[in-house]
Amino acid sequence: MEDLTNEEKAEAFTAFFNSSMVGLAIVEENFTFQSVNKQFCKILGVTHAELLGKRFQDVISKKSKRIDEENAKLWIKGKNSTYMLEKTYELEDGRKVDVILVVARVP
């Protein structure tokens, strides 16, 4: 991978992101969804457009929100580079979807 140009690395990441069987999301530091892959949308049963511009906090349960915010504060301060937790998304139509969230900083 070190022999690849930055453009080739970006293309490889995009291909991985788009074809992954794991739901993936890229979020801004304020936890606003910047990009989500098809699998992430499929798991939640929503469209790409329904998630973009929203924050994790907009679509998760109160219990998950509290736990997630505690971990996020540590992550933002650089006290941990990754974290994982079970969380529940609460969708606008009332459905709830349980997922395992893994947060990692991407350089």
Side-chain angles (χ1 to χ4, degrees):
M1 196 78 168
E2 291 180 20
D3 294 341
L4 298 178
T5 66
N6 285 341
E7 184 177 331
E8 290 169 327
K9 289 177 185 177
E11 288 174 7
F13 176 80
T14 299
F16 163 76
F17 184 85
N18 290 331
S19 64
S20 179
M21 295 304 293
V22 174
L24 299 170
I26 298 174
V27 296
E28 300 290 339
E29 289 219 359
N30 67 359
F31 296 96
T32 300
F33 291 105
Q34 179 185 2
S35 183
V36 294
N37 70 355
K38 290 179 186 177
Q39 187 67 10
F40 190 85
C41 293
K42 182 178 177 180
I43 290 166
L44 294 184
V46 296
T47 67
H48 190 261
E50 288 175 291
L51 286 176
L52 291 186
K54 289 189 177 181
R55 298 176 337 140
F56 272 124
Q57 296 88 332
D58 297 333
V59 294
I60 61 176
S61 70
K62 290 178 183 170
K63 179 181 176 186
S64 291
K65 187 182 300 188
R66 188 184 79 252
I67 297 168
D68 202 11
E69 287 175 351
E70 291 169 11
N71 282 299
K73 287 176 188 175
L74 294 172
W75 184 81
I76 289 168
K77 291 178 182 177
K79 300 213 184 245
N80 59 13
S81 59
T82 62
Y83 68 91
M84 182 173 78
L85 62 94
E86 293 181 32
K87 71 190 303 181
T88 302
Y89 284 92
E90 291 185 350
L91 305 173
E92 290 179 5
D93 64 4
R95 289 180 297 128
K96 294 181 181 183
V97 179
D98 294 323
V99 300
I100 295 176
L101 171 74
V102 178
V103 175
R105 191 173 305 278
V106 177

